[in-house]
Amino acid sequence: MAEGTPTINVVKHGGKRPTEHFSRDKLHASVQAACLSVRSPEAMAESAADSVCKTVTTWCANKPEVTSDDLRRVASEHLTIIHPEAAYLYKHHRLVL
């Protein structure tokens, strides 16, 4: 877990899989991958991922538990503002990939 990241349990898809701790690194990697998949320059992908992670960790700050769907929704909403193409891919990755 990254320094300064709160300990938050993530309830996986519908509670069908085991709960896991929130991982800023995992979120960062998935947002960055979505950006790179739509051919964003690496620096832009890195910046977008950092921005989304900051927003999501702030949103999670007072929550001991969140769902993976909530994380994806909050991340997608913020990413839509800064990179709409990547946000679409990130939000719908199960359908697109």
Side-chain angles (χ1 to χ4, degrees), residues 3 21 42 50 56-57 89 92 94:
E3 187 82 21
H21 290 297
E42 187 136 349
D50 285 341
V56 170
T57 55
L89 184 60
H92 300 290
R94 290 184 191 110

Side-chain angles (χ1 to χ4, degrees), residues 40-88:
S40 295
E42 187 136 349
M44 180 184 221
E46 178 74 22
S47 176
D50 285 341
S51 180
V52 168
C53 286
K54 183 176 180 181
T55 297
V56 170
T57 55
T58 299
W59 178 81
C60 289
N62 297 321
K63 296 169 181 62
E65 186 174 270
V66 297
T67 67
S68 56
D69 289 339
D70 285 338
L71 289 177
R72 184 163 297 281
R73 178 184 50 78
V74 172
S76 295
E77 287 171 359
H78 184 69
L79 191 55
T80 297
I81 296 166
I82 58 177
H83 200 317
E85 287 180 302
Y88 181 85

